[in-house]
């Protein structure tokens, strides 16, 4: 009898031990999931793209930072853009034999191929940045363009865009066709293409609107299915003079000039002390307003910097990241959010804004910051 009782007790003990270890396993697996499941897991579930950029150092050498940046990009994100390597200064570094009739052989397609291969390997959405921008142009163009006629500016831009968009046809999902063409409440005038506004081309056409509309038309000719964007900064919050100008501009391009423009890229380089609830709800209002005119509005270069003298903490930054991600992604016409820097170690902020930094969701040692969990919480709650 005694023996029987002992056997039963031993069996119960065994069952309870194995149940405890099963529970522990579940908890342990959940912890592993939280460590290994990237942001993209949640984004994919909700039909969204969360992305980041690949900086030059990593583009040249995937093992940079002991491979930690590479690991962040491929585990966390399902969208990718290059920080610099697809800008004109890199794609058209050498002067083409005939700059008014650019051929594919004039373009440094190796950069494009490398970008596409990496992104495809990890099933990432591919953002082309950028076709026409006043900045980061080749030094030969900087010297020559001021002497060009309006028609020569048209010929150069047309052949460059046509070659580029046809080469990338079906391989790039969205392109920034024109970047940062607005300053406050007017067009930027200190550009290599400014002559199009004061001199007519050989068809008698003159003005920025005309030129910008053609840029979109040429990009569409090269690839009928790619999404085409106007991209800029300080245009995010509804009702500022730059925001008003941008909204009027893109609507006019589409309605009066039949430009095939699909969307606006809201760069979103924010300073922490400006990211109040009111500010972020005005970003939502911009997305809604653009949506009413059938524009996509993506967040294309998000970072939130903290500068010397700011009283805000990393917890405030978490709230700001959470707020912008849930505000933007709760709108159907915002499908993609790209962050501008995988970690605080890979961010442009430190070298461009004195006394500022900590702008990304991973710290300088590639560890997740509160901001990371803000994004994660926003994605999970969608
Ligand atoms: O390539 C030269 C190198 O030869 C030289 O030794 C080195 C010395 O400073 O500079 C290198 O050029 C740097 C370039 O990035 C490539 O690394 C420039 O100094 C530096 O100013 C440049 O910064 C880029 C910036 O655009 C230029 O405006 C940033 O990396 C890039 O993240 C940033 O990206 C822009 C977007 O394209 C458009 N929206 C704003 C965003 C932030 O400015």
């Amino acid at each position: 009898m005694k023996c029987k009782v002992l056997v039963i007790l031993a069996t119960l003990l065994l069952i309870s031990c194995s149940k405890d270890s099963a529970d522990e396993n579940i908890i342990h697996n959940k912890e592993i999931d939280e460590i290994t499941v990237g942001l993209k897991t949640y984004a994919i579930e909700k039909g969204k793209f969360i992305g980041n950029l690949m900086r030059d150092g990593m583009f040249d050498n995937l093992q940079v930072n002991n491979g930690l940046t590479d690991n962040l990009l491929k585990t966390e994100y399902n969208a990718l853009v290059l920080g610099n390597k697809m800008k004109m200064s890199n794609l058209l570094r050498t002067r083409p034999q005939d700059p008014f009739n650019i051929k594919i052989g004039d373009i440094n397609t190796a950069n494009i191929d490398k970008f596409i291969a990496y992104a495809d390997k990890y099933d990432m959405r591919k953002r082309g940045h950028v076709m026409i921008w006043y900045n980061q142009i080749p030094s030969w163009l900087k010297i020559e363009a001021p002497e060009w006629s309006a028609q020569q500016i048209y010929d150069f831009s047309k052949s460059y865009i046509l070659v580029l968009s046809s080469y990338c046809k079906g391989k790039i999902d969205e392109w920034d066709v024109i970047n940062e063409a607005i300053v406050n409440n007017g067009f930027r005038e200190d550009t290599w293409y400014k002559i199009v506004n004061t001199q007519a081309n050989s068809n008698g056409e003159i003005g920025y609107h005309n030129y910008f509309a053609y840029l979109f038309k040429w990009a569409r000719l090269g690839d009928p299915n790619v999404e085409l964007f106007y991209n800029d900064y300080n245009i995010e919050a509804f009702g500022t003079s730059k925001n008003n100008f941008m909204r009027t501009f893109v609507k006019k391009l589409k309605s009066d000039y039949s430009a095939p423009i699909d969307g606006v890229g809201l760069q979103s380089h924010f300073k922490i002390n400006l990211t109040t609830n009111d500010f972020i709800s005005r970003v939502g209002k911009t997305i809604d307003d653009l949506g009413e005119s059938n524009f996509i509005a993506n967040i294309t270069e998000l970072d939130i910097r903290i500068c010397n003298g700011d009283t805000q903490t990393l917890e405030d930054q978490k709230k700001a990241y959470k707020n912008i991600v849930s505000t933007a992604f709760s709108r159907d016409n915002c499908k993609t959010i790209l962050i501008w820097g995988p970690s605080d170690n890979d961010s442009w902020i430190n070298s461009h804004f004195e006394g500022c930094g900590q702008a990304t969701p991973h710290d300088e040692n590639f560890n997740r910051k509160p901001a990371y969990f803000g994004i994660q919480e926003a994605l999970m709650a969608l």
Side-chain angles (χ1 to χ4, degrees):
M1 181 64 188
K2 256 188 190 165
C3 259
K4 241 185 181 177
V5 171
L6 275 177
V7 168
I8 291 169
L9 278 175
T11 314
L12 283 174
L13 200 65
L14 260 179
I15 290 171
S16 130
C17 281
S18 64
K19 188 175 173 295
D20 281 355
S21 79
D23 284 351
E24 269 167 21
N25 268 340
I26 289 168
I27 292 165
H28 181 66
N29 286 342
K30 198 164 163 259
E31 279 165 359
I32 287 176
D33 270 4
E34 274 163 15
I35 293 166
T36 54
V37 167
L39 295 173
K40 66 179 173 187
T41 311
Y42 308 104
I44 291 166
E45 270 172 24
K46 317 288 162 130
K48 304 281 190 185
F49 296 93
I50 184 92
N52 214 311
L53 71 79
M54 190 192 282
R55 293 194 80 202
D56 299 6
M58 186 190 152
F59 183 88
D60 293 332
N61 169 20
L62 285 191
Q63 285 316 306
V64 79
N65 302 329
N66 293 325
L68 290 168
T69 306
D70 172 41
N71 194 48
L72 276 190
L73 287 182
K74 61 195 191 198
T75 55
E76 298 288 356
Y77 298 104
N78 64 338
L80 191 70
V81 63
L82 292 182
N84 292 302
K85 295 282 185 171
M86 271 167 64
K87 291 172 177 171
M88 204 192 279
S89 54
N90 278 305
L91 292 190
L92 211 54
R93 190 174 286 269
T94 315
R95 185 189 190 277
Q97 213 177 9
D98 180 358
F100 310 116
N101 185 15
I102 293 168
K103 303 269 187 275
I104 191 62
D106 296 322
I107 291 190
N108 178 12
T109 50
N111 280 16
I112 303 172
D113 298 344
K114 200 168 169 184
F115 167 63
I116 290 171
Y118 183 91
D120 281 350
K121 189 167 172 193
Y122 302 109
D123 275 335
M124 295 162 130
R125 181 172 173 85
K126 290 152 284 180
R127 176 154 233 276
H129 178 74
V130 46
M131 288 180 168
I132 301 291
W133 187 24
Y134 77 94
N135 199 2
Q136 290 187 277
I137 56 167
S139 41
W140 64 265
L141 182 69
K142 217 175 268 177
I143 296 165
E144 287 187 32
E147 304 303 319
W148 287 356
S149 67
Q151 186 56 42
Q152 285 174 314
I153 297 282
Y154 271 80
D155 291 341
F156 166 75
S157 312
K158 179 178 182 178
S159 60
Y160 180 63
I161 289 182
L162 273 179
V163 153
L164 196 54
S165 64
S166 334
Y167 183 78
C168 297
K169 184 176 167 182
K171 299 182 207 155
I172 295 279
D173 301 295
E174 59 186 61
W175 265 113
D176 283 331
V177 176
I178 172 101
N179 191 40
E180 300 174 7
I182 302 172
V183 209
N184 300 323
N185 55 358
F187 290 113
R188 185 186 293 278
E189 286 177 0
D190 56 338
T191 66
W192 56 267
Y193 54 76
K194 63 184 172 195
I195 196 76
V196 301
N197 200 42
T198 52
Q199 190 186 98
N201 65 14
S202 51
N203 287 333
E205 297 163 320
I206 191 166
Y208 284 125
H209 283 95
N210 191 72
Y211 174 67
F212 295 143
Y214 272 114
L215 303 182
F216 285 94
K217 288 174 188 173
W218 298 325
R220 172 65 77 238
L221 260 184
D223 185 347
N225 296 317
V226 68
E227 283 178 0
L228 303 175
F229 282 77
Y230 173 73
N231 194 54
D232 211 334
Y233 61 90
N234 282 355
I235 55 166
E236 298 84 7
F238 189 90
T240 66
S241 54
K242 193 168 177 183
N243 172 277
N244 293 340
F245 190 89
M246 174 277 292
R247 287 180 295 103
T248 310
F249 162 56
V250 294
K251 290 173 194 175
K252 190 168 178 172
L253 267 195
K254 186 145 84 168
S255 61
D256 298 3
Y257 290 81
S258 310
I261 170 172
D262 298 294
V264 174
L266 308 170
Q267 289 185 10
S268 307
H269 294 292
F270 297 148
K271 192 170 178 303
I272 184 76
N273 58 2
L274 296 179
T275 52
T276 57
N277 288 343
D278 173 61
F279 175 85
I280 292 178
S281 70
R282 287 197 289 131
V283 179
K285 200 167 171 200
T286 297
I287 300 174
D288 288 340
D289 178 80
L290 290 167
E292 279 161 26
S293 300
N294 285 323
F295 284 96
I296 302 164
N298 286 339
I299 305 282
T300 51
E301 305 183 12
L302 177 63
D303 50 26
I304 304 178
R305 60 188 183 273
I306 304 179
C307 303
N308 291 344
D310 283 336
T311 51
Q312 287 80 2
T313 62
L314 291 180
E315 280 302 316
D316 295 313
Q317 188 188 44
K318 171 184 178 179
K319 282 185 204 138
Y321 262 104
K322 184 173 177 179
N323 198 355
I324 185 69
V325 171
S326 61
T327 299
F329 270 170
S330 63
R331 270 86 179 168
D332 285 344
N333 63 321
C334 178
K335 287 263 186 289
T336 306
I337 295 180
L338 285 129
I339 296 158
W340 205 249
S343 76
D344 290 346
N345 199 8
D346 298 295
S347 167
W348 72 297
I349 293 292
N350 311 39
S351 59
H352 285 72
F353 293 91
E354 217 188 313
C356 301
Q358 303 180 82
T360 81
H362 283 85
D363 69 17
E364 294 197 339
N365 298 315
F366 309 93
N367 295 316
R368 294 170 172 180
K369 290 163 57 182
Y372 175 92
F373 297 102
I375 300 171
Q376 188 186 59
E377 285 167 21
L379 291 172
M380 289 170 84
L382 280 177

